[in-house]
């Protein structure tokens, strides 16, 4: 239907929706004036809408309100198309106006059709076909063949029938009875499919009008700048990396060390595509997927399991589209010829597929480090052994099993009178050992850290003083435990070396949280502020006013040895300003 008819249809629809009170014994002139005023207002609104579209504005949204359908344009302006004439029964719609309420169908960012903002079961774009299941073993004991990939089913609105057509893998297979158009006279309906807005019920019948606001896409082409060294295909500008493994306290080897469990986690790599024509209109959020296949065989068909599009992480400007993708390393074939990928961009329910590129990935490992170290990131004491439960994290486990003994150097220092405490989040990051840089520099994301304070870490003195007793941990911040240390808590804690466990997690490509590293951070409580990641002192310098334990009277020594170590800290160290280091010396 042409634009001229559209204006006439809208005007006739408006006239049909007006009150019929002018047929009564009221003043005809007043009614006619009132009608003319409303018609003029609708005519002006329609002309403004059409002018905006002709000037380059794009339809960005379609919603309903009490009057009908509201069309929003890219310039922020909104225009209302009023409901059709009264329904056959003459009753009010649920929104309180004459006629049936308007229905609006739109495509969500998840690729499904939404009716009046409510998600339906019908896909609008043909992404995310599932993999087929593996075949069963044959009678001779050999493996069965892999199952076929799941079908990609989606639905396209048909303006002629007013129903959705069913498509499988890009081909129409049937016309359905799923109606998108109002089935009663006077019902106003709209479908926003890409840049096309299909409206029905404008003049009280089932005819449809299609308004196009933008230039349709013609093709998608990869912009090559790097050629693969393995096959004769272009490849990505930056390489794909994937984490080699994750760990889990429920999965241990026979020696109680962590099993290295494989998973799909990669960095994000940008891919650049040319959209033709340059002035093509694309929505702010695209439905984009990737299909992959083997070079040597067409019979295998398309798959969509190798690259994962990062939804929303895309830039479109002057005909160039930049996408960010993840790679699933478990889906990489042994032969490079079987790892080629094309982008599939959907403009509404219409797919456009690019040329193929070659992809590969390099496995890397990560450790927890202190990123604030002066020269290079400093590692902590790695926990390579599993913990069955919290009770298993004893002092012996930390010192003997994991090797974090009392004589090992502290990783961080904490000044005894620092009221703010030590924020451990400032001192952890994941470092890629194979590439000698932080994971974030390789465009990995989804890292998080969890801190916990083991129940015990005992000194080798006669009282087995628990270093953990001196501190408390809240939301990753380590502070002195004033409740335990009493009225003079500060000096009694000087020289103590509590440990904190940090577990590093990362979300894999499927969004599942996985632990990738675990370490112990040894903290030394000091009298003066020191540089973080200190080295162990070769000698202890005694302050002039220090009273050596060996100089105390025999009776006092005996009394002191019989005191619980908690009382020693509060009644001796805290009372006279000694430190544990001074006393041991």
């Amino acid at each position: 239907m042409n634009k001229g008819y559209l204006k006439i249809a809208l005007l006739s629809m408006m006239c049909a929706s007006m009150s019929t009170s002018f047929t009564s014994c009221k003043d005809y002139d007043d009614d006619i004036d009132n009608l003319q005023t409303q018609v003029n207002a609708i005519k002006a609104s329609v002309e403004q809408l059409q002018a905006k579209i002709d000037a380059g504005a794009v339809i960005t949204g379609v919603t309903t309100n009490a009057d009908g359908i509201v069309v929003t344009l890219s310039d922020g302006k909104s225009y209302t198309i009023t409901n059709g004439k009264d329904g056959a029964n003459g009753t009010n719609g649920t929104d309180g106006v004459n006629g049936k309420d308007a229905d609006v169908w739109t495509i969500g960012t998840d690729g499904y059709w939404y009716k009046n903002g409510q998600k339906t079961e019908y896909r609008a774009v043909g992404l995310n076909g599932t993999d087929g299941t593996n075949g069963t073993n044959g009678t001779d004991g050999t493996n069965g063949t892999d199952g076929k990939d799941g079908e990609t089913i989606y639905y396209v609105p048909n303006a002629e029938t007013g129903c959705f057509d069913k498509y499988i893998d890009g081909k129409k297979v049937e016309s359905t009875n799923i109606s998108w158009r109002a089935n009663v006279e006077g019902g106003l309906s709209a479908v926003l499919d890409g840049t096309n807005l299909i409206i029905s019920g404008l003049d009280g019948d089932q005819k449809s009008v299609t308004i196009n606001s933008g230039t349709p896409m013609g093709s998608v082409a990869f912009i090559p700048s790097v050629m693969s060294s393995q096959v004769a295909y272009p490849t990505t500008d930056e390489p794909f990396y994937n984490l080699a493994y994750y760990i889990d306290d429920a999965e241990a080897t026979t020696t109680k060390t962590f099993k290295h469990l494989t998973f799909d986690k990669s960095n994000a790599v940008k891919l650049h595509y040319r959209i033709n024509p340059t002035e093509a209109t694309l929505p702010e959020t695209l439905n984009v997927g990737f299909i992959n296949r083997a070079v040597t065989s067409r019979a295998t068909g398309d798959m969509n399991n190798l690259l994962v599009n990062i939804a929303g992480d895309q830039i479109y400007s002057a005909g160039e589209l930049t996408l960010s993708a993840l790679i699933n390393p478990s889906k990489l074939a042994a032969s490079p010829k079987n790892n080629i990928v094309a982008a599939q961009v959907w403009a509404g329910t219409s797919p456009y597929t690019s040329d193929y590129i070659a992809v590969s990935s390099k496995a890397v490992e990560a450790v927890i480090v202190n990123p604030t170290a002066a020269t290079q990131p400093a590692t902590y004491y790695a926990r390579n052994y599993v913990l069955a439960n919290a009770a298993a994290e004893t002092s012996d486990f930390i010192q003997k099993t994991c090797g974090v003994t009392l004589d090992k150097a502290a990783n961080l220092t904490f000044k005894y009178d620092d009221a703010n405490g030590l924020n451990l989040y400032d001192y952890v990051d994941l470092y890629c050992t194979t590439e000698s840089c932080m994971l974030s520099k390789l465009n990995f994301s989804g890292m998080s850290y969890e801190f916990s304070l083991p129940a015990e870490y005992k000194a080798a003195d006669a009282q087995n003083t628990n270093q953990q007793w001196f501190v408390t941990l809240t939301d990753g911040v380590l502070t002195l435990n004033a409740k335990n240390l009493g009225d003079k808590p500060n000096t009694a804690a000087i020289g103590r070396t509590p440990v904190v466990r940090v577990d590093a997690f990362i979300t894999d490509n499927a969004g599942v949280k996985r632990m990738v590293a675990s370490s112990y951070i040894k903290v030394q409580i000091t009298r003066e502020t020191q540089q973080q990641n200190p080295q162990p002192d070769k000698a202890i310098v005694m302050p002039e006013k220090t009273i050596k334990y060996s100089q105390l009277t025999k009776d006092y020594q005996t009394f002191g040895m019989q005191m619980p170590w908690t009382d020693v800290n509060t009644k001796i160290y805290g009372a006279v300003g000694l430190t544990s280091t001074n006393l041991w010396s």
Side-chain angles (χ1 to χ4, degrees), residues 417-474:
D417 59 355
D418 188 347
N420 295 324
L422 183 66
N423 190 342
L424 296 172
Y425 283 105
D426 295 335
Y427 299 99
V428 292
D429 206 343
L430 279 173
Y431 183 76
C432 179
T433 55
T434 51
E435 299 301 307
S436 300
C437 64
M438 299 298 178
L439 278 189
S440 56
K441 187 175 181 180
L442 298 178
N443 287 326
F444 278 89
S445 62
M447 288 81 79
S448 62
Y449 305 91
E450 293 181 5
F451 299 94
S452 59
L453 190 66
E456 60 179 35
Y457 182 61
K458 296 179 179 179
D461 57 9
Q463 307 224 6
N464 288 329
T465 305
N466 187 1
Q467 307 297 289
Q468 310 300 86
W469 184 82
F470 298 89
V471 293
T472 185
L473 181 70
T474 305

Side-chain angles (χ1 to χ4, degrees), residues 49 208 338 357 527:
L49 173 60
S208 298
N338 293 340
I357 64 171
R527 182 179 293 276

Side-chain angles (χ1 to χ4, degrees), residues 278-540:
T278 302
E279 65 274 12
T281 304
L282 298 184
E284 293 181 2
T285 302
L286 288 172
N287 284 298
V288 179
F290 294 94
I291 55 176
N292 52 285
R293 62 163 55 225
V295 178
T296 55
S297 174
R298 294 183 179 180
T300 57
D302 290 328
M303 299 170 285
N304 56 6
N305 55 12
L306 189 50
L307 289 194
V308 179
N309 174 56
I310 302 178
D313 192 4
Q314 54 204 18
I315 300 173
Y316 177 59
S317 177
E320 184 171 327
L321 175 64
T322 300
L323 306 174
S324 291
L326 308 172
I327 193 168
N328 287 328
S330 66
K331 304 301 181 181
L332 284 167
S335 171
K337 293 183 178 181
N338 293 340
N339 299 315
I340 59 171
V341 178
Q344 198 169 61
V345 181
W346 291 76
T349 54
S350 300
Y352 298 85
T353 304
S354 75
D355 45 343
Y356 284 88
I357 64 171
V359 294
S360 60
S361 184
K362 178 181 179 180
V364 297
E365 298 180 8
V367 296
I368 304 174
V369 298
N370 175 7
T372 67
T375 54
Q376 62 181 10
T379 58
Y380 295 114
Y381 297 105
R383 175 174 73 95
N384 297 317
Y385 295 84
V386 300
L387 279 167
N389 49 55
E393 196 172 28
T394 63
S395 183
D396 280 349
F397 175 83
I398 297 172
Q399 297 192 54
K400 295 179 181 180
T401 304
C402 298
V404 193
T405 55
L406 267 295
D407 60 343
K408 291 292 182 68
N411 305 113
L412 302 175
T413 60
F414 171 35
K415 193 170 183 291
Y416 76 102
D417 59 355
D418 188 347
N420 295 324
L422 183 66
N423 190 342
L424 296 172
Y425 283 105
D426 295 335
Y427 299 99
V428 292
D429 206 343
L430 279 173
Y431 183 76
C432 179
T433 55
T434 51
E435 299 301 307
S436 300
C437 64
M438 299 298 178
L439 278 189
S440 56
K441 187 175 181 180
L442 298 178
N443 287 326
F444 278 89
S445 62
M447 288 81 79
S448 62
Y449 305 91
E450 293 181 5
F451 299 94
S452 59
L453 190 66
E456 60 179 35
Y457 182 61
K458 296 179 179 179
D461 57 9
Q463 307 224 6
N464 288 329
T465 305
N466 187 1
Q467 307 297 289
Q468 310 300 86
W469 184 82
F470 298 89
V471 293
T472 185
L473 181 70
T474 305
D475 296 331
V477 178
L478 193 71
T479 56
L480 292 186
N481 192 331
K483 180 180 178 181
N484 286 346
L485 291 168
D487 296 333
K488 297 182 179 180
N490 296 335
T491 57
I494 295 174
R496 302 300 185 181
T497 55
V499 296
V500 176
R501 190 181 89 227
V502 54
D503 298 324
F505 296 87
I506 198 164
T507 53
D508 64 16
N509 290 355
V512 180
K513 187 177 177 180
R514 306 287 191 182
M515 183 166 65
V516 293
S518 181
S519 293
Y520 285 108
I521 301 175
K522 189 173 183 179
V523 180
Q524 184 177 24
I525 303 171
T526 60
R527 182 179 293 276
E528 303 297 334
T529 301
Q530 298 184 22
Q531 181 181 359
Q532 297 295 12
N533 197 44
Q535 298 300 317
D537 294 332
K538 295 182 180 179
I540 297 175

Side-chain angles (χ1 to χ4, degrees), residues 123 125-130 148-156 165-173 291 293 300-304 344 346 349 351 353:
R123 284 201 64 88
V125 297
L127 300 178
N128 303 330
T130 56
K148 294 182 179 179
D149 292 339
E151 295 177 324
T152 303
I153 301 174
Y154 59 100
Y155 296 83
V156 177
D165 292 334
K166 183 178 180 180
Y167 281 69
I168 296 181
D169 294 332
K171 297 180 180 179
K172 178 182 175 181
V173 294
I291 55 176
R293 62 163 55 225
T300 57
D302 290 328
M303 299 170 285
N304 56 6
Q344 198 169 61
W346 291 76
T349 54
T353 304

Side-chain angles (χ1 to χ4, degrees), residues 542-547 578:
M542 304 296 293
E544 293 181 359
K545 295 183 180 181
T546 296
I547 303 175
L578 289 173

Side-chain angles (χ1 to χ4, degrees), residues 147-342:
K148 294 182 179 179
D149 292 339
E151 295 177 324
T152 303
I153 301 174
Y154 59 100
Y155 296 83
V156 177
N158 187 318
E160 296 297 325
T161 66
C163 294
F164 288 102
D165 292 334
K166 183 178 180 180
Y167 281 69
I168 296 181
D169 294 332
K171 297 180 180 179
K172 178 182 175 181
V173 294
E174 65 175 333
S175 297
T176 73
N177 293 322
I178 305 170
S179 177
W180 62 264
R181 188 166 59 192
N183 293 322
V184 297
E185 187 179 7
L188 189 63
S189 300
V191 172
L192 182 60
D193 181 8
T195 59
N196 291 326
L197 176 63
I198 308 172
I199 306 176
S200 71
L202 289 175
D203 52 359
D205 59 21
Q206 299 302 316
K207 294 180 181 179
S208 298
V209 173
T210 299
I211 303 174
N212 181 274
S213 65
T215 303
M217 188 188 313
S219 63
V220 182
F222 183 75
I223 302 176
S225 59
V226 178
M227 292 298 295
S228 170
S229 60
Q230 298 176 312
V231 292
Y233 280 83
T235 188
T236 58
D237 294 350
E238 300 295 331
F240 278 107
Y241 296 98
N242 65 277
L243 284 180
Y245 60 84
Y246 74 95
I247 56 178
D248 192 321
D249 276 313
E251 299 286 345
T253 66
T254 55
T255 59
K256 304 300 182 183
T257 57
F258 284 111
K259 284 185 178 179
H260 288 180
L261 307 169
T262 58
F263 72 136
D264 286 330
K265 175 60 183 182
S266 86
N267 62 332
V269 171
K270 293 188 180 301
L271 295 89
H272 306 281
Y273 293 89
R274 177 70 62 193
I275 302 296
N276 297 310
T278 302
E279 65 274 12
T281 304
L282 298 184
E284 293 181 2
T285 302
L286 288 172
N287 284 298
V288 179
F290 294 94
I291 55 176
N292 52 285
R293 62 163 55 225
V295 178
T296 55
S297 174
R298 294 183 179 180
T300 57
D302 290 328
M303 299 170 285
N304 56 6
N305 55 12
L306 189 50
L307 289 194
V308 179
N309 174 56
I310 302 178
D313 192 4
Q314 54 204 18
I315 300 173
Y316 177 59
S317 177
E320 184 171 327
L321 175 64
T322 300
L323 306 174
S324 291
L326 308 172
I327 193 168
N328 287 328
S330 66
K331 304 301 181 181
L332 284 167
S335 171
K337 293 183 178 181
N338 293 340
N339 299 315
I340 59 171
V341 178

Side-chain angles (χ1 to χ4, degrees), residues 65-114:
N65 66 6
D67 295 322
I69 292 173
V70 180
V71 181
T72 304
L73 301 183
S74 54
D75 63 359
K77 298 290 182 62
S78 296
Y79 300 87
T80 300
I81 301 174
T82 308
N83 283 325
K85 64 182 180 180
D86 295 350
N89 57 7
T91 59
N92 289 338
T94 57
D95 59 4
V97 298
N98 289 335
K100 183 184 180 295
D101 294 336
D103 284 334
V104 170
W105 292 77
T106 55
I107 300 175
T109 56
D110 57 359
Y112 281 84
W113 281 110
Y114 282 69

